[in-house]
Amino acid sequence: MRGVVYDGERVEVADDLEIRDPGPGEVLVAVAAAGLCHSDLSVIDGTIPFPAPVVLGHEGAGVVEAVGAGVGHVAPGDHVSLSTLANCGACAACDRGQPTMCRKAIGMPGQPFSRAGRPLYQFASNSAFAERTVVKAVQAVRIPDDIPLTSAALIGCGVLTGVGAVLNRAKAGLGDTVVVIGTGGIGLNVLQGARLAGALTIVAVDTNPAKEETARLFGATHFLTSVDGVREILPDGAQHVFECVGHTGLVRQAIDLLDRHGQAVLLGMPAPTAEATFLPASMFLDKSILGCRYGSSRPQHDIALYARLYQEGRLMLDELVTETYPVEDFAKAADDAEHGRVARGVLTF
């Protein structure tokens, strides 16, 4: 079968992958579509260290082909959106409704794939850039059949992370003020999360002026190409500032833009050893810096919720899909993503 493989030096669209059958508590999914997220590119450029060889992809949707023993919430033929969160469901973090903090869901890559007899790692417990993948049952969330799978694919990462950061982590509310730095796939979902939360002023900041129309479509009330103009719109600063780029200088700027009792939420992925600086004295008016893993989401709950909001016309998915590519055109999709030509490019099988 076909899939996108990174061997530690180069990327190849292979056609000779094999995958094992699902075991107990697992689901085999025929992937129909997968979004290309910058996290996949970050594995290739070394920003995210990951063992190789690895089958890339982590934002996908498809149709269940088979289930292992003990799986009852999905069955062959069901449409599913895939999460990256292979949480155990039994630890203290899972029990208190914080599956993103499950220690068994972090840093334990499996090897369900093989090629010429050699095992390959699974990226983010998902590997959606393959015609088929095996995931833990908890990662497969049933969705209505009438949601296009090219759109549903994006729920499992970009939507969960961006919308979840607003609703679950920041807990923004009606009338709040929000600044979003970076309007790529994550930033656009932060914008629509702020809109869903009822934020009054939503300022989008991106150096690319061509992104203004899309940013406003997703909820921005203002658009700037630099943070320099934010204080003209919000003289006292913002209650919530989301850094969606992963640049240490922008982390500092996000903190500097906070109002009293404001919070900066860090969503961008810098290099693991990158350091950011700020003035501790500026934090004494009850300001906060918040990390956020995967939108602090509960995928089985949140993916179903976002699918319902999409059906009701309240959450935008189709508008996120700028371009679709057959998986063989991965190189073009990656280049378009690197140069900001797409909100989200989607690979199809």
Side-chain angles (χ1 to χ4, degrees):
M1 69 177 185
R2 295 169 297 164
V4 179
V5 177
Y6 175 61
D7 66 5
E9 296 182 0
R10 66 188 186 95
V11 179
E12 177 186 0
V13 180
D15 62 4
D16 57 349
L17 296 180
E18 296 182 353
I19 191 165
R20 63 171 173 78
D21 293 333
E26 293 182 333
V27 178
L28 175 67
V29 177
V31 179
L36 176 54
C37 174
H38 275 279
S39 294
D40 299 299
L41 302 179
S42 293
V43 173
I44 297 169
D45 68 22
T47 302
I48 297 178
F50 204 87
V54 57
V55 180
L56 296 174
H58 65 285
E59 185 181 70
V63 181
V64 175
E65 280 201 352
V67 300
V71 178
H73 73 291
V74 293
D78 285 346
H79 287 205
V80 292
S81 177
L82 302 177
S83 89
T84 68
L85 204 59
N87 59 296
C88 71
C91 67
C94 289
D95 191 53
R96 61 176 175 260
Q98 297 176 332
T100 57
M101 296 297 103
C102 175
R103 284 175 168 80
K104 292 187 178 180
I106 303 173
M108 301 176 67
Q111 294 179 303
F113 300 96
S114 62
R115 187 182 186 193
R118 182 185 181 188
L120 286 78
Y121 287 102
Q122 184 174 40
F123 179 53
S125 302
N126 188 305
S127 289
F129 292 169
E131 287 187 83
R132 291 173 181 81
T133 190
V134 169
V135 297
K136 290 184 65 174
V138 72
Q139 296 176 255
V141 184
R142 187 177 178 181
I143 57 173
D145 292 355
D146 60 353
I147 299 179
L149 290 172
T150 50
S151 298
L154 305 186
I155 302 177
C157 179
V159 178
L160 275 182
T161 299
V163 176
V166 179
L167 302 183
N168 301 329
R169 187 64 169 127
K171 299 187 185 300
L174 187 66
D176 283 359
T177 55
V178 173
V179 174
V180 181
I181 302 175
T183 60
I186 299 299
L188 289 176
N189 282 295
V190 173
L191 289 172
Q192 71 170 331
R195 173 178 53 79
L196 285 167
L200 183 63
T201 303
I202 307 172
V203 183
V205 181
D206 199 292
T207 56
N208 185 353
K211 293 187 176 183
E212 178 173 1
E213 181 179 356
T214 304
R216 289 187 180 273
L217 175 66
F218 276 79
T221 59
H222 301 75
F223 184 90
L224 300 171
T225 56
S226 167
V227 297
D228 294 340
V230 171
R231 289 284 181 174
E232 295 179 16
I233 301 167
L234 299 170
D236 294 328
Q239 290 167 287
H240 313 281
V241 181
F242 297 84
E243 199 284 330
C244 305
V245 179
H247 187 284
T248 56
L250 294 176
V251 170
R252 168 63 180 270
Q253 291 179 332
I255 295 167
D256 290 345
L257 289 172
L258 293 176
D259 193 0
R260 298 181 179 194
H261 202 69
Q263 49 191 18
V265 183
L266 309 185
L267 295 176
M269 180 63 72
T273 57
E275 297 183 359
T277 61
F278 65 95
L279 301 175
S282 70
M283 304 298 293
F284 291 147
L285 292 173
D286 285 1
K287 300 178 184 181
S288 304
I289 303 171
L290 304 180
C292 182
R293 181 171 189 255
Y294 204 39
S296 301
S297 62
R298 295 172 294 158
Q300 285 288 336
H301 172 274
D302 291 353
I303 289 177
L305 171 63
Y306 298 157
R308 178 68 180 272
L309 290 173
Y310 167 82
Q311 289 183 306
E312 294 181 355
R314 298 168 63 187
L315 183 84
M316 290 183 284
L317 295 178
D318 304 338
E319 296 84 355
L320 287 167
V321 183
T322 311
E323 188 81 38
T324 59
Y325 311 81
V327 68
E328 289 81 7
D329 287 348
F330 174 80
K332 183 179 187 304
D335 188 67
D336 285 349
E338 286 276 23
H339 291 89
R341 302 186 191 106
V342 294
R344 221 25 155 222
V346 176
L347 301 178
T348 58
F349 292 91

